[in-house]
Amino acid sequence: MSRTGIGFDSHRFAPGRPLILAGVRIPHPEGLAGHSDADAVAHAVTDALLGAAAAGSIGEHFPDADPRWKDADSMELLRRVVAVVRERGLRVVHADVTVIAEAPRIGPHASAMAARLEEALESGPGSVGIKGKTNEGMGFIGRGEGIAVLATATLEAR
Ligand code: MG
């Protein structure tokens, strides 16, 4: 038995904030706006896990309006959802992530991001894929207004 979920997230760039993706601080002139640390990779993977477990959405588990999640470490929220997955008798075996951004380039940070996710997901070495793409200059991503992230996660029975 295996189950796959999908997740999507997008955030607007904002000055004066660090850029954190999959828990890795990436050198860039701007970070991402958001109630939490705005880690769009962690958010997309969290929703992929919740989708695969049929356990709701990140917005239901960690509402924006709740002050507990202000400036939250999104990798910690992801670990909480890994615990939800385990309580349902499932474990994460694989995740795949595509980051769509004109800048920064993701490739130089991909292995560090994958390692952080593999640790949070308890899914083992080589179980997380990270890829970066531009949007060929089109739309809000092309104008450098923000980034988007797609993720899938696959769960199996423990
Ligand atoms: Mg988000």
Side-chain angles (χ1 to χ4, degrees), residues 41-43 45-47 49 62 73-83 116-117 120-121:
V41 170
H43 295 175
V45 173
T46 298
D47 255 349
L49 257 59
F62 311 108
D73 174 352
S74 297
M75 293 296 283
E76 184 53 40
L77 306 186
L78 176 58
R79 286 186 196 95
R80 287 172 181 253
V81 165
V82 170
R116 293 295 300 272
L117 287 170
L121 299 174

Side-chain angles (χ1 to χ4, degrees), residues 2 7 11-12 48 50 59 64 80 93 109 114 117 122-123 134 136:
S2 81
H11 280 256
R12 185 181 289 276
L50 288 168
D64 269 6
R80 287 172 181 253
V93 295
H109 309 286
L117 287 170
E122 301 170 20
S123 54
T134 74
E136 300 281 343

Side-chain angles (χ1 to χ4, degrees), residues 7 11 17-18 36 41 81 89 96-97 100 113-114 116 124 127 147 157:
H11 280 256
R17 286 177 58 94
S36 66
V41 170
V81 165
D96 188 23
V97 174
I100 310 165
M113 292 165 63
R116 293 295 300 272
S127 60
I147 75 172

Side-chain angles (χ1 to χ4, degrees), residues 90-108:
L90 299 163
R91 66 189 174 92
V92 184
V93 295
H94 175 252
D96 188 23
V97 174
T98 298
V99 179
I100 310 165
E102 297 298 314
R105 291 190 59 231
I106 297 303

Side-chain angles (χ1 to χ4, degrees), residues 9-11 38-40 43:
D9 197 27
S10 59
H11 280 256
D39 185 335
H43 295 175

